Amino acid sequence: MEEKSTIKKVVILGATGSIGTQTVDVIKQLEGFKVVGISFGSNVEQARKIMEDLKVDYYVSNKEVGFGKRFENTQQLLEEVAPDIVVCAIPGFEGVKATIVALQYTKRIALATKEALVCAGPFVKKIAKEKHVEIIPVDSEHSAVFQLYEPHIEKILITASGGAVRDVPLKYISDLKPSDILKHPTWSMGGRITVDSSTMVNKLFEVIEAHELFDLEYDKIEVKINRSSFIHGIVFLKDGVIKIHAGKPDMRIPIAYALTYPERKYHSSVADVSEFDLLLSDVERERYPLFFYGLDMLKRKDDLSWRIALNAADELAVNAFLSGKISFKDIETVVRKTIERIDSQNIIITSIEDVYKTDELARSYAKDFIEREVQK
Ligand SMILES: NC(=O)C1=CN([C@@H]2O[C@H](COP(=O)(O)OP(=O)(O)OC[C@H]3O[C@@H](n4cnc5c(N)ncnc54)[C@H](OP(=O)(O)O)[C@@H]3O)[C@@H](O)[C@H]2O)C=CC1
Ligand SMILES: CC(=O)[C@@H](O)[C@H](O)COP(=O)(O)O
Ligand SMILES: [Mn+2]
């Protein structure tokens, strides 16, 4: 039995989702971690299972679990339990808001919610610095670069699988159905990020995430396709050395590392390298137009207002696509139009309140554009 003091108290925000449930799996294998609270949306069954399994007493949700203590909001839960680690695994702007709250009440953020860095990176880092909070990336590519990181870096490379559209003839991509797009070739993930893998908005997010996490200029962040998702990240050092981080595509590995860092305590079967291809290939501009549109924007002006619009519009457009309201191609149309509308106003973001207001404004524009696509 471990002494009480060495047990790390963990709260999982978004516990019933892909990252959340894999975090539960990992904690059940590791010693020295106790889940003391969770938050979730509507999957009460899954929440009940987790709370019974791990004897969790506290939760946040609009839904009643039937046992344990329900808190009205994340802040109240975190104030009560004072966790050592918060796993941030809520997608979208709800996840941004939850991450910003969590930064005030813990010493380590295990960050899966990349949207927090896309929409509010400078503010997230400022609060983390002021409050002495570690931000350890869960995102597989960023966990890889974090593990390879050393100061003498020339540039980094993160990989992409290419998503469900990677082998589809270009002329058929626009009208692919949600069921086609949700068939990710290498990872099993939540709906939003799976669609984002096919538009490569996910990789655009990840380029921004790497910029914020590792303070690298965008021309020092390369992206290549690795079809097996075996290579996660590469670091090129100024002395010519290249360090490659690889392994089977299993999110429990980076999740475990974000919990146990600086130690490595998780156990998982070691992949046979011959099973995976190590090839890297270029990303096709014609297949992933939104990715290149975003890269061009980053080169032209990396400011938060259009990054907030990117997330807001993509979140609404992906939801509209998944509910069959708009086509796969319409996602690009809605995102580009929303970004252009916000960008034309040259909004300067000087506070977290500005982030919230710009998100709201972008959502109102995106809703209009979605309505117009629906009515066509
Ligand atoms: N899945 C993956 O492999 C990876 C995910 N990520 C990132 O991790 C984050 C989570 O992704 P993923 O796990 O795939 O997402 P899922 O859609 O699988 O899960 C989302 C979780 O968030 C919960 N949730 C939704 N809204 C709220 C809310 N308002 N308050 C509290 N909980 C809420 C959901 O609850 P419920 O289901 O009960 O409604 C669910 O538990 C995203 O930012 C994603 O980009 C990054 C790398 C890999
Ligand atoms: C597992 C993970 O880190 C995801 O972000 C993954 O990268 C998504 O797949 P793509 O590489 O196809 O975007
Ligand atoms: Mn990733």
Side-chain angles (χ1 to χ4, degrees), residues 305 309 312-313 316-317 333-345 347 357-373:
S305 66
L316 294 179
T333 308
V334 169
V335 170
R336 289 176 75 135
K337 285 183 174 175
T338 306
I339 287 177
E340 278 144 26
R341 186 116 183 244
I342 288 284
D343 190 41
S344 65
Q345 297 172 46
I347 299 168
K357 273 191 254 158
T358 307
D359 172 75
E360 243 173 81
L361 184 62
R363 271 164 208 278
S364 65
Y365 295 156
K367 281 181 189 137
D368 285 349
F369 291 128
I370 287 168
E371 267 322 296
R372 284 184 218 171
E373 295 308 320

PDB file of all heavy atoms in Angstrom, residues 305 309 312-313 316-317 333-345 347 357-373:
ATOM      1  N   SER A 305      -7.254  36.136 -33.391  1.00  0.00           N
ATOM      2  CA  SER A 305      -8.672  36.296 -33.776  1.00  0.00           C
ATOM      3  C   SER A 305      -9.084  35.269 -34.830  1.00  0.00           C
ATOM      4  O   SER A 305     -10.110  34.591 -34.678  1.00  0.00           O
ATOM      5  CB  SER A 305      -8.925  37.712 -34.296  1.00  0.00           C
ATOM      6  OG  SER A 305      -8.215  37.921 -35.494  1.00  0.00           O
ATOM      7  N   ALA A 309     -11.587  31.924 -34.673  1.00  0.00           N
ATOM      8  CA  ALA A 309     -12.631  31.708 -35.693  1.00  0.00           C
ATOM      9  C   ALA A 309     -12.476  30.339 -36.338  1.00  0.00           C
ATOM     10  O   ALA A 309     -13.459  29.635 -36.613  1.00  0.00           O
ATOM     11  CB  ALA A 309     -12.556  32.801 -36.748  1.00  0.00           C
ATOM     12  N   ALA A 312     -13.947  27.822 -33.881  1.00  0.00           N
ATOM     13  CA  ALA A 312     -15.410  27.983 -33.727  1.00  0.00           C
ATOM     14  C   ALA A 312     -16.146  27.492 -34.972  1.00  0.00           C
ATOM     15  O   ALA A 312     -17.084  26.690 -34.903  1.00  0.00           O
ATOM     16  CB  ALA A 312     -15.749  29.439 -33.449  1.00  0.00           C
ATOM     17  N   ALA A 313     -15.665  27.938 -36.135  1.00  0.00           N
ATOM     18  CA  ALA A 313     -16.331  27.569 -37.401  1.00  0.00           C
ATOM     19  C   ALA A 313     -16.183  26.084 -37.671  1.00  0.00           C
ATOM     20  O   ALA A 313     -17.138  25.407 -38.076  1.00  0.00           O
ATOM     21  CB  ALA A 313     -15.740  28.379 -38.547  1.00  0.00           C
ATOM     22  N   LEU A 316     -18.568  24.021 -35.389  1.00  0.00           N
ATOM     23  CA  LEU A 316     -19.974  24.046 -35.825  1.00  0.00           C
ATOM     24  C   LEU A 316     -20.155  23.337 -37.165  1.00  0.00           C
ATOM     25  O   LEU A 316     -21.122  22.592 -37.367  1.00  0.00           O
ATOM     26  CB  LEU A 316     -20.467  25.497 -35.913  1.00  0.00           C
ATOM     27  CG  LEU A 316     -20.552  26.247 -34.582  1.00  0.00           C
ATOM     28  CD1 LEU A 316     -21.033  27.681 -34.815  1.00  0.00           C
ATOM     29  CD2 LEU A 316     -21.484  25.538 -33.599  1.00  0.00           C
ATOM     30  N   ALA A 317     -19.202  23.538 -38.068  1.00  0.00           N
ATOM     31  CA  ALA A 317     -19.324  22.919 -39.397  1.00  0.00           C
ATOM     32  C   ALA A 317     -19.194  21.401 -39.304  1.00  0.00           C
ATOM     33  O   ALA A 317     -19.936  20.659 -39.964  1.00  0.00           O
ATOM     34  CB  ALA A 317     -18.264  23.490 -40.337  1.00  0.00           C
ATOM     35  N   THR A 333     -15.818  25.554 -46.852  1.00  0.00           N
ATOM     36  CA  THR A 333     -16.475  26.819 -47.231  1.00  0.00           C
ATOM     37  C   THR A 333     -16.830  27.624 -45.978  1.00  0.00           C
ATOM     38  O   THR A 333     -16.508  28.815 -45.874  1.00  0.00           O
ATOM     39  CB  THR A 333     -17.752  26.508 -48.031  1.00  0.00           C
ATOM     40  OG1 THR A 333     -17.429  25.616 -49.096  1.00  0.00           O
ATOM     41  CG2 THR A 333     -18.393  27.766 -48.566  1.00  0.00           C
ATOM     42  N   VAL A 334     -17.452  26.948 -45.008  1.00  0.00           N
ATOM     43  CA  VAL A 334     -17.891  27.641 -43.782  1.00  0.00           C
ATOM     44  C   VAL A 334     -16.688  28.167 -43.003  1.00  0.00           C
ATOM     45  O   VAL A 334     -16.670  29.324 -42.547  1.00  0.00           O
ATOM     46  CB  VAL A 334     -18.734  26.686 -42.904  1.00  0.00           C
ATOM     47  CG1 VAL A 334     -18.987  27.267 -41.518  1.00  0.00           C
ATOM     48  CG2 VAL A 334     -20.053  26.347 -43.592  1.00  0.00           C
ATOM     49  N   VAL A 335     -15.649  27.348 -42.912  1.00  0.00           N
ATOM     50  CA  VAL A 335     -14.465  27.774 -42.139  1.00  0.00           C
ATOM     51  C   VAL A 335     -13.785  28.968 -42.810  1.00  0.00           C
ATOM     52  O   VAL A 335     -13.489  29.979 -42.166  1.00  0.00           O
ATOM     53  CB  VAL A 335     -13.477  26.600 -41.957  1.00  0.00           C
ATOM     54  CG1 VAL A 335     -12.152  27.073 -41.371  1.00  0.00           C
ATOM     55  CG2 VAL A 335     -14.093  25.520 -41.067  1.00  0.00           C
ATOM     56  N   ARG A 336     -13.586  28.887 -44.111  1.00  0.00           N
ATOM     57  CA  ARG A 336     -12.883  29.978 -44.815  1.00  0.00           C
ATOM     58  C   ARG A 336     -13.683  31.273 -44.733  1.00  0.00           C
ATOM     59  O   ARG A 336     -13.150  32.343 -44.416  1.00  0.00           O
ATOM     60  CB  ARG A 336     -12.634  29.614 -46.279  1.00  0.00           C
ATOM     61  CG  ARG A 336     -11.586  28.534 -46.473  1.00  0.00           C
ATOM     62  CD  ARG A 336     -11.454  28.136 -47.917  1.00  0.00           C
ATOM     63  NE  ARG A 336     -10.734  29.165 -48.678  1.00  0.00           N
ATOM     64  CZ  ARG A 336      -9.755  28.874 -49.556  1.00  0.00           C
ATOM     65  NH1 ARG A 336      -9.413  27.610 -49.764  1.00  0.00           N
ATOM     66  NH2 ARG A 336      -9.137  29.815 -50.212  1.00  0.00           N
ATOM     67  N   LYS A 337     -15.001  31.188 -44.944  1.00  0.00           N
ATOM     68  CA  LYS A 337     -15.817  32.416 -44.928  1.00  0.00           C
ATOM     69  C   LYS A 337     -15.837  33.035 -43.531  1.00  0.00           C
ATOM     70  O   LYS A 337     -15.778  34.254 -43.372  1.00  0.00           O
ATOM     71  CB  LYS A 337     -17.241  32.102 -45.378  1.00  0.00           C
ATOM     72  CG  LYS A 337     -17.368  31.879 -46.884  1.00  0.00           C
ATOM     73  CD  LYS A 337     -18.813  31.647 -47.282  1.00  0.00           C
ATOM     74  CE  LYS A 337     -18.968  31.569 -48.810  1.00  0.00           C
ATOM     75  NZ  LYS A 337     -20.367  31.210 -49.200  1.00  0.00           N
ATOM     76  N   THR A 338     -15.895  32.199 -42.516  1.00  0.00           N
ATOM     77  CA  THR A 338     -15.939  32.725 -41.143  1.00  0.00           C
ATOM     78  C   THR A 338     -14.608  33.383 -40.792  1.00  0.00           C
ATOM     79  O   THR A 338     -14.572  34.498 -40.240  1.00  0.00           O
ATOM     80  CB  THR A 338     -16.247  31.595 -40.141  1.00  0.00           C
ATOM     81  OG1 THR A 338     -17.452  30.924 -40.542  1.00  0.00           O
ATOM     82  CG2 THR A 338     -16.419  32.134 -38.724  1.00  0.00           C
ATOM     83  N   ILE A 339     -13.522  32.734 -41.157  1.00  0.00           N
ATOM     84  CA  ILE A 339     -12.197  33.309 -40.884  1.00  0.00           C
ATOM     85  C   ILE A 339     -12.070  34.652 -41.598  1.00  0.00           C
ATOM     86  O   ILE A 339     -11.639  35.659 -41.024  1.00  0.00           O
ATOM     87  CB  ILE A 339     -11.076  32.339 -41.319  1.00  0.00           C
ATOM     88  CG1 ILE A 339     -10.976  31.155 -40.352  1.00  0.00           C
ATOM     89  CG2 ILE A 339      -9.736  33.067 -41.421  1.00  0.00           C
ATOM     90  CD1 ILE A 339      -9.947  30.101 -40.724  1.00  0.00           C
ATOM     91  N   GLU A 340     -12.467  34.690 -42.888  1.00  0.00           N
ATOM     92  CA  GLU A 340     -12.329  35.934 -43.652  1.00  0.00           C
ATOM     93  C   GLU A 340     -13.145  37.066 -43.030  1.00  0.00           C
ATOM     94  O   GLU A 340     -12.686  38.202 -42.908  1.00  0.00           O
ATOM     95  CB  GLU A 340     -12.710  35.701 -45.124  1.00  0.00           C
ATOM     96  CG  GLU A 340     -11.540  35.090 -45.912  1.00  0.00           C
ATOM     97  CD  GLU A 340     -11.954  34.077 -46.975  1.00  0.00           C
ATOM     98  OE1 GLU A 340     -13.102  34.169 -47.466  1.00  0.00           O
ATOM     99  OE2 GLU A 340     -11.133  33.193 -47.298  1.00  0.00           O
ATOM    100  N   ARG A 341     -14.331  36.731 -42.542  1.00  0.00           N
ATOM    101  CA  ARG A 341     -15.223  37.756 -41.955  1.00  0.00           C
ATOM    102  C   ARG A 341     -14.608  38.308 -40.666  1.00  0.00           C
ATOM    103  O   ARG A 341     -14.605  39.514 -40.403  1.00  0.00           O
ATOM    104  CB  ARG A 341     -16.588  37.119 -41.698  1.00  0.00           C
ATOM    105  CG  ARG A 341     -17.636  38.071 -41.229  1.00  0.00           C
ATOM    106  CD  ARG A 341     -18.803  38.236 -42.201  1.00  0.00           C
ATOM    107  NE  ARG A 341     -19.716  39.236 -41.670  1.00  0.00           N
ATOM    108  CZ  ARG A 341     -20.976  38.960 -41.306  1.00  0.00           C
ATOM    109  NH1 ARG A 341     -21.464  37.724 -41.484  1.00  0.00           N
ATOM    110  NH2 ARG A 341     -21.750  39.891 -40.824  1.00  0.00           N
ATOM    111  N   ILE A 342     -14.078  37.410 -39.862  1.00  0.00           N
ATOM    112  CA  ILE A 342     -13.446  37.851 -38.594  1.00  0.00           C
ATOM    113  C   ILE A 342     -12.149  38.601 -38.893  1.00  0.00           C
ATOM    114  O   ILE A 342     -11.876  39.682 -38.373  1.00  0.00           O
ATOM    115  CB  ILE A 342     -13.161  36.633 -37.675  1.00  0.00           C
ATOM    116  CG1 ILE A 342     -14.475  36.086 -37.097  1.00  0.00           C
ATOM    117  CG2 ILE A 342     -12.152  36.970 -36.583  1.00  0.00           C
ATOM    118  CD1 ILE A 342     -15.077  36.901 -35.975  1.00  0.00           C
ATOM    119  N   ASP A 343     -11.340  38.018 -39.807  1.00  0.00           N
ATOM    120  CA  ASP A 343     -10.025  38.606 -40.108  1.00  0.00           C
ATOM    121  C   ASP A 343     -10.154  40.025 -40.649  1.00  0.00           C
ATOM    122  O   ASP A 343      -9.325  40.885 -40.377  1.00  0.00           O
ATOM    123  CB  ASP A 343      -9.310  37.697 -41.128  1.00  0.00           C
ATOM    124  CG  ASP A 343      -7.859  38.089 -41.315  1.00  0.00           C
ATOM    125  OD1 ASP A 343      -7.206  38.398 -40.294  1.00  0.00           O
ATOM    126  OD2 ASP A 343      -7.391  38.137 -42.460  1.00  0.00           O
ATOM    127  N   SER A 344     -11.223  40.284 -41.395  1.00  0.00           N
ATOM    128  CA  SER A 344     -11.397  41.620 -42.022  1.00  0.00           C
ATOM    129  C   SER A 344     -11.620  42.710 -40.950  1.00  0.00           C
ATOM    130  O   SER A 344     -11.478  43.893 -41.216  1.00  0.00           O
ATOM    131  CB  SER A 344     -12.612  41.590 -42.951  1.00  0.00           C
ATOM    132  OG  SER A 344     -13.788  41.382 -42.159  1.00  0.00           O
ATOM    133  N   GLN A 345     -11.954  42.290 -39.718  1.00  0.00           N
ATOM    134  CA  GLN A 345     -12.242  43.294 -38.668  1.00  0.00           C
ATOM    135  C   GLN A 345     -11.007  43.629 -37.837  1.00  0.00           C
ATOM    136  O   GLN A 345     -11.057  44.420 -36.906  1.00  0.00           O
ATOM    137  CB  GLN A 345     -13.381  42.779 -37.774  1.00  0.00           C
ATOM    138  CG  GLN A 345     -14.694  42.601 -38.551  1.00  0.00           C
ATOM    139  CD  GLN A 345     -15.759  41.902 -37.704  1.00  0.00           C
ATOM    140  OE1 GLN A 345     -15.980  42.240 -36.553  1.00  0.00           O
ATOM    141  NE2 GLN A 345     -16.381  40.899 -38.302  1.00  0.00           N
ATOM    142  N   ILE A 347      -9.476  42.313 -35.349  1.00  0.00           N
ATOM    143  CA  ILE A 347      -9.760  42.313 -33.898  1.00  0.00           C
ATOM    144  C   ILE A 347      -8.458  42.032 -33.135  1.00  0.00           C
ATOM    145  O   ILE A 347      -7.764  41.063 -33.432  1.00  0.00           O
ATOM    146  CB  ILE A 347     -10.801  41.219 -33.562  1.00  0.00           C
ATOM    147  CG1 ILE A 347     -12.115  41.501 -34.302  1.00  0.00           C
ATOM    148  CG2 ILE A 347     -11.049  41.120 -32.052  1.00  0.00           C
ATOM    149  CD1 ILE A 347     -13.103  40.330 -34.271  1.00  0.00           C
ATOM    150  N   LYS A 357     -15.361  36.581 -26.376  1.00  0.00           N
ATOM    151  CA  LYS A 357     -16.255  37.404 -27.218  1.00  0.00           C
ATOM    152  C   LYS A 357     -16.053  37.090 -28.705  1.00  0.00           C
ATOM    153  O   LYS A 357     -16.997  36.982 -29.484  1.00  0.00           O
ATOM    154  CB  LYS A 357     -15.969  38.899 -26.972  1.00  0.00           C
ATOM    155  CG  LYS A 357     -16.763  39.467 -25.790  1.00  0.00           C
ATOM    156  CD  LYS A 357     -16.653  40.983 -25.761  1.00  0.00           C
ATOM    157  CE  LYS A 357     -15.719  41.369 -24.630  1.00  0.00           C
ATOM    158  NZ  LYS A 357     -15.068  42.624 -24.644  1.00  0.00           N
ATOM    159  N   THR A 358     -14.779  36.893 -29.092  1.00  0.00           N
ATOM    160  CA  THR A 358     -14.480  36.605 -30.506  1.00  0.00           C
ATOM    161  C   THR A 358     -15.020  35.231 -30.896  1.00  0.00           C
ATOM    162  O   THR A 358     -15.530  35.033 -31.997  1.00  0.00           O
ATOM    163  CB  THR A 358     -12.970  36.704 -30.758  1.00  0.00           C
ATOM    164  OG1 THR A 358     -12.503  37.969 -30.289  1.00  0.00           O
ATOM    165  CG2 THR A 358     -12.625  36.542 -32.230  1.00  0.00           C
ATOM    166  N   ASP A 359     -14.928  34.287 -29.955  1.00  0.00           N
ATOM    167  CA  ASP A 359     -15.509  32.960 -30.216  1.00  0.00           C
ATOM    168  C   ASP A 359     -17.006  33.084 -30.479  1.00  0.00           C
ATOM    169  O   ASP A 359     -17.539  32.521 -31.449  1.00  0.00           O
ATOM    170  CB  ASP A 359     -15.256  32.032 -29.026  1.00  0.00           C
ATOM    171  CG  ASP A 359     -16.003  30.710 -29.154  1.00  0.00           C
ATOM    172  OD1 ASP A 359     -15.567  29.865 -29.958  1.00  0.00           O
ATOM    173  OD2 ASP A 359     -17.066  30.579 -28.509  1.00  0.00           O
ATOM    174  N   GLU A 360     -17.672  33.874 -29.642  1.00  0.00           N
ATOM    175  CA  GLU A 360     -19.127  34.050 -29.795  1.00  0.00           C
ATOM    176  C   GLU A 360     -19.465  34.690 -31.143  1.00  0.00           C
ATOM    177  O   GLU A 360     -20.354  34.237 -31.864  1.00  0.00           O
ATOM    178  CB  GLU A 360     -19.638  34.962 -28.678  1.00  0.00           C
ATOM    179  CG  GLU A 360     -20.647  34.302 -27.724  1.00  0.00           C
ATOM    180  CD  GLU A 360     -20.955  35.235 -26.570  1.00  0.00           C
ATOM    181  OE1 GLU A 360     -21.787  36.150 -26.774  1.00  0.00           O
ATOM    182  OE2 GLU A 360     -20.320  35.060 -25.511  1.00  0.00           O
ATOM    183  N   LEU A 361     -18.703  35.719 -31.496  1.00  0.00           N
ATOM    184  CA  LEU A 361     -18.942  36.435 -32.762  1.00  0.00           C
ATOM    185  C   LEU A 361     -18.718  35.476 -33.940  1.00  0.00           C
ATOM    186  O   LEU A 361     -19.546  35.376 -34.851  1.00  0.00           O
ATOM    187  CB  LEU A 361     -17.982  37.622 -32.859  1.00  0.00           C
ATOM    188  CG  LEU A 361     -18.133  38.542 -34.066  1.00  0.00           C
ATOM    189  CD1 LEU A 361     -19.517  39.203 -34.077  1.00  0.00           C
ATOM    190  CD2 LEU A 361     -17.011  39.604 -34.077  1.00  0.00           C
ATOM    191  N   ALA A 362     -17.628  34.702 -33.870  1.00  0.00           N
ATOM    192  CA  ALA A 362     -17.313  33.760 -34.960  1.00  0.00           C
ATOM    193  C   ALA A 362     -18.402  32.708 -35.089  1.00  0.00           C
ATOM    194  O   ALA A 362     -18.804  32.323 -36.191  1.00  0.00           O
ATOM    195  CB  ALA A 362     -15.967  33.097 -34.700  1.00  0.00           C
ATOM    196  N   ARG A 363     -18.932  32.255 -33.944  1.00  0.00           N
ATOM    197  CA  ARG A 363     -20.005  31.258 -33.994  1.00  0.00           C
ATOM    198  C   ARG A 363     -21.252  31.815 -34.688  1.00  0.00           C
ATOM    199  O   ARG A 363     -21.912  31.126 -35.462  1.00  0.00           O
ATOM    200  CB  ARG A 363     -20.381  30.810 -32.570  1.00  0.00           C
ATOM    201  CG  ARG A 363     -19.570  29.660 -32.087  1.00  0.00           C
ATOM    202  CD  ARG A 363     -19.636  29.436 -30.589  1.00  0.00           C
ATOM    203  NE  ARG A 363     -18.399  28.822 -30.209  1.00  0.00           N
ATOM    204  CZ  ARG A 363     -18.163  27.507 -30.325  1.00  0.00           C
ATOM    205  NH1 ARG A 363     -19.112  26.700 -30.730  1.00  0.00           N
ATOM    206  NH2 ARG A 363     -16.989  27.017 -30.034  1.00  0.00           N
ATOM    207  N   SER A 364     -21.537  33.085 -34.428  1.00  0.00           N
ATOM    208  CA  SER A 364     -22.747  33.671 -35.043  1.00  0.00           C
ATOM    209  C   SER A 364     -22.553  33.733 -36.559  1.00  0.00           C
ATOM    210  O   SER A 364     -23.459  33.401 -37.330  1.00  0.00           O
ATOM    211  CB  SER A 364     -23.026  35.055 -34.466  1.00  0.00           C
ATOM    212  OG  SER A 364     -21.979  35.951 -34.807  1.00  0.00           O
ATOM    213  N   TYR A 365     -21.355  34.093 -36.997  1.00  0.00           N
ATOM    214  CA  TYR A 365     -21.074  34.117 -38.442  1.00  0.00           C
ATOM    215  C   TYR A 365     -21.153  32.705 -39.025  1.00  0.00           C
ATOM    216  O   TYR A 365     -21.772  32.458 -40.064  1.00  0.00           O
ATOM    217  CB  TYR A 365     -19.690  34.690 -38.721  1.00  0.00           C
ATOM    218  CG  TYR A 365     -19.492  36.143 -38.362  1.00  0.00           C
ATOM    219  CD1 TYR A 365     -18.222  36.646 -38.095  1.00  0.00           C
ATOM    220  CD2 TYR A 365     -20.572  37.021 -38.277  1.00  0.00           C
ATOM    221  CE1 TYR A 365     -18.022  37.978 -37.768  1.00  0.00           C
ATOM    222  CE2 TYR A 365     -20.396  38.360 -37.946  1.00  0.00           C
ATOM    223  CZ  TYR A 365     -19.119  38.826 -37.695  1.00  0.00           C
ATOM    224  OH  TYR A 365     -18.917  40.144 -37.357  1.00  0.00           O
ATOM    225  N   ALA A 366     -20.539  31.756 -38.339  1.00  0.00           N
ATOM    226  CA  ALA A 366     -20.495  30.378 -38.871  1.00  0.00           C
ATOM    227  C   ALA A 366     -21.910  29.811 -38.993  1.00  0.00           C
ATOM    228  O   ALA A 366     -22.247  29.149 -39.993  1.00  0.00           O
ATOM    229  CB  ALA A 366     -19.643  29.495 -37.960  1.00  0.00           C
ATOM    230  N   LYS A 367     -22.758  30.117 -38.005  1.00  0.00           N
ATOM    231  CA  LYS A 367     -24.149  29.641 -38.059  1.00  0.00           C
ATOM    232  C   LYS A 367     -24.842  30.180 -39.309  1.00  0.00           C
ATOM    233  O   LYS A 367     -25.528  29.440 -40.031  1.00  0.00           O
ATOM    234  CB  LYS A 367     -24.920  30.058 -36.800  1.00  0.00           C
ATOM    235  CG  LYS A 367     -24.631  29.170 -35.596  1.00  0.00           C
ATOM    236  CD  LYS A 367     -25.421  29.566 -34.362  1.00  0.00           C
ATOM    237  CE  LYS A 367     -24.906  28.784 -33.131  1.00  0.00           C
ATOM    238  NZ  LYS A 367     -24.783  29.624 -31.942  1.00  0.00           N
ATOM    239  N   ASP A 368     -24.607  31.473 -39.606  1.00  0.00           N
ATOM    240  CA  ASP A 368     -25.200  32.072 -40.822  1.00  0.00           C
ATOM    241  C   ASP A 368     -24.719  31.331 -42.057  1.00  0.00           C
ATOM    242  O   ASP A 368     -25.489  30.943 -42.934  1.00  0.00           O
ATOM    243  CB  ASP A 368     -24.767  33.548 -40.973  1.00  0.00           C
ATOM    244  CG  ASP A 368     -25.498  34.440 -39.989  1.00  0.00           C
ATOM    245  OD1 ASP A 368     -26.467  33.937 -39.357  1.00  0.00           O
ATOM    246  OD2 ASP A 368     -25.086  35.612 -39.847  1.00  0.00           O
ATOM    247  N   PHE A 369     -23.413  31.119 -42.124  1.00  0.00           N
ATOM    248  CA  PHE A 369     -22.852  30.470 -43.330  1.00  0.00           C
ATOM    249  C   PHE A 369     -23.357  29.039 -43.458  1.00  0.00           C
ATOM    250  O   PHE A 369     -23.627  28.557 -44.560  1.00  0.00           O
ATOM    251  CB  PHE A 369     -21.325  30.522 -43.301  1.00  0.00           C
ATOM    252  CG  PHE A 369     -20.748  31.911 -43.474  1.00  0.00           C
ATOM    253  CD1 PHE A 369     -19.828  32.419 -42.568  1.00  0.00           C
ATOM    254  CD2 PHE A 369     -21.162  32.718 -44.530  1.00  0.00           C
ATOM    255  CE1 PHE A 369     -19.301  33.696 -42.725  1.00  0.00           C
ATOM    256  CE2 PHE A 369     -20.654  34.003 -44.699  1.00  0.00           C
ATOM    257  CZ  PHE A 369     -19.725  34.497 -43.788  1.00  0.00           C
ATOM    258  N   ILE A 370     -23.522  28.362 -42.342  1.00  0.00           N
ATOM    259  CA  ILE A 370     -24.053  26.988 -42.400  1.00  0.00           C
ATOM    260  C   ILE A 370     -25.484  27.026 -42.922  1.00  0.00           C
ATOM    261  O   ILE A 370     -25.851  26.265 -43.820  1.00  0.00           O
ATOM    262  CB  ILE A 370     -23.982  26.314 -41.014  1.00  0.00           C
ATOM    263  CG1 ILE A 370     -22.521  25.965 -40.679  1.00  0.00           C
ATOM    264  CG2 ILE A 370     -24.854  25.041 -40.958  1.00  0.00           C
ATOM    265  CD1 ILE A 370     -22.271  25.559 -39.243  1.00  0.00           C
ATOM    266  N   GLU A 371     -26.265  27.978 -42.410  1.00  0.00           N
ATOM    267  CA  GLU A 371     -27.667  28.097 -42.865  1.00  0.00           C
ATOM    268  C   GLU A 371     -27.716  28.303 -44.368  1.00  0.00           C
ATOM    269  O   GLU A 371     -28.489  27.670 -45.077  1.00  0.00           O
ATOM    270  CB  GLU A 371     -28.373  29.261 -42.150  1.00  0.00           C
ATOM    271  CG  GLU A 371     -29.120  28.841 -40.894  1.00  0.00           C
ATOM    272  CD  GLU A 371     -29.805  27.488 -41.038  1.00  0.00           C
ATOM    273  OE1 GLU A 371     -30.722  27.351 -41.885  1.00  0.00           O
ATOM    274  OE2 GLU A 371     -29.366  26.538 -40.326  1.00  0.00           O
ATOM    275  N   ARG A 372     -26.819  29.187 -44.862  1.00  0.00           N
ATOM    276  CA  ARG A 372     -26.805  29.450 -46.317  1.00  0.00           C
ATOM    277  C   ARG A 372     -26.457  28.185 -47.102  1.00  0.00           C
ATOM    278  O   ARG A 372     -27.060  27.894 -48.134  1.00  0.00           O
ATOM    279  CB  ARG A 372     -25.766  30.535 -46.643  1.00  0.00           C
ATOM    280  CG  ARG A 372     -26.255  31.935 -46.272  1.00  0.00           C
ATOM    281  CD  ARG A 372     -25.263  32.999 -46.692  1.00  0.00           C
ATOM    282  NE  ARG A 372     -25.189  34.068 -45.696  1.00  0.00           N
ATOM    283  CZ  ARG A 372     -24.253  35.036 -45.745  1.00  0.00           C
ATOM    284  NH1 ARG A 372     -23.336  35.036 -46.699  1.00  0.00           N
ATOM    285  NH2 ARG A 372     -24.223  35.979 -44.831  1.00  0.00           N
ATOM    286  N   GLU A 373     -25.514  27.389 -46.588  1.00  0.00           N
ATOM    287  CA  GLU A 373     -25.157  26.144 -47.315  1.00  0.00           C
ATOM    288  C   GLU A 373     -26.324  25.183 -47.277  1.00  0.00           C
ATOM    289  O   GLU A 373     -26.641  24.510 -48.257  1.00  0.00           O
ATOM    290  CB  GLU A 373     -23.913  25.505 -46.672  1.00  0.00           C
ATOM    291  CG  GLU A 373     -22.635  26.319 -46.768  1.00  0.00           C
ATOM    292  CD  GLU A 373     -22.300  26.786 -48.186  1.00  0.00           C
ATOM    293  OE1 GLU A 373     -22.494  25.988 -49.137  1.00  0.00           O
ATOM    294  OE2 GLU A 373     -21.880  27.950 -48.339  1.00  0.00           O
TER     295      GLU A 373
END
